[in-house]
Amino acid sequence: MAIESINPSTSTLLKTFSPLTPAEIEQRISLAEKVFHSFRATSFSERSRWMFHAAELLETQKDQIGRLMTLEMGKTLESAKEESVKCAWACRFYAEHAERFLADEPVTTTASRSFIHYQPLGIILAIMPWNFPFWQVFRFAAPALMAGNVGLLKHASSVPQCALKIEEIFRLAGFPEGVFQTLLIGSGDIQPVIEDPRIRAITLTGSEPAGRSVALLAGKVIKKTVLELGGSDPFIVMPSANLEDAVSTAVKARVINNGQSCIAAKRFIVHQSIFEEFTGRFVTRMESLNVGDPMVRETELGPMASEQLLLQLDDQVKKSAAMGARILTGGKRLERPGSFYAPTVLTDIPKNSPAYGEEFFGPVALLFPVADIEEAIRLANDSPFGLGASAWTNNKDEQDLFIDTLDAGLVFINGMVASDPRLPFGGVKRSGYGRELGEYGIKEFVNIKTVWVK
């Protein structure tokens, strides 16, 4: 089955690609295995030079790269350019810090010399999603390659041109041929790649079902995995918060990337004393969003990435409304070409409805009033997911309580949840396991070797 690149703003077919044949897949894995043995022997200074060059290319080509992302998955052009620049930041961060992160660590024991030594594993398979088609890849690739690993990318089939462009960036940056390769294959062809003994580990960012499937396959052949899966992040607002800041950030946090982000705020949990005012302001802001062509600078909300995703979201909204949820605004697709969904706000959400327990991956906000901080925390934690959480309060005791008790891999106080190359990123519960970014991210795919010398 052909791999198709479709513009979600117009539903226009942009380009078609033929999936790799088994022989072509084998050729790429063999090349990766061969180059690893020489690449692992390169110095940190050599890898840093190439990684710095990759950063330069990402910045100088941000207009071209941004346009490619917008065409393939519909994010606004300005946010796409920012994504390319953020990838450059990750490249520079690891180019500057990888050697220190992976330096030998002496440990005092009964030996004359004992220490921890970090070594690359080999070929790392990255299975990546469409929503941040460059950032998701570079936050894996920059640390993995700086550690001396080589990478194979199985990108989402909806962004094949982005996948090929990323491979080109690393090649033009000077990395040896085969250090980073793209596999244009469908999800049905991934199992034998995962099971191939030359693949040493797998990282996946995607849906919970995809993560479960990959973890099962990798577990059968005893391979390390890192999974960054879904999220239904709470955004909690208490009476002491700056309400204007909270509302403006809440809207941005909900519709970032057209609402299609695992760390987008999705459940807005607001103290009942300010719930009515928050809701009024929030709905007004959502209704005033400029929805349209993502190539236009003034556009604040573009299309969803595909017709299938729009229909899935609409079905969740309709089912929730049928079970008693109240639609304050939106709740339907927009009557225009492309996969556009109206900015939507739901409240009075029943506990057994999709809006209570499922991830809503699109511009739909879910509002919940609570009586106190204890109820806010219980509701925030009453979710199968545990990726990020944002809490808004100027009360120091409340801040400390949120930090200690929210079940999430990331907790942001008076700010929007975001990824940062300097900080570890990942979740708990069904949001996955393992960490990307920071010092912890580069150590996920290395052999942490104990050395003991008498």
Side-chain angles (χ1 to χ4, degrees), residues 31-47:
L31 176 59
E33 173 74 3
K34 179 180 178 180
V35 76
F36 168 66
H37 295 291
S38 57
F39 182 66
R40 67 177 299 175
T42 59
S43 65
F44 279 107
S45 62
E46 287 178 294
R47 294 177 220 155

Side-chain angles (χ1 to χ4, degrees), residues 317 319-328 346-350 353 355:
V317 171
K319 285 181 178 177
S320 299
M323 298 173 74
R326 186 158 53 98
I327 299 174
L328 300 181
L346 301 182
T347 191
D348 297 341
I349 296 167
S353 67

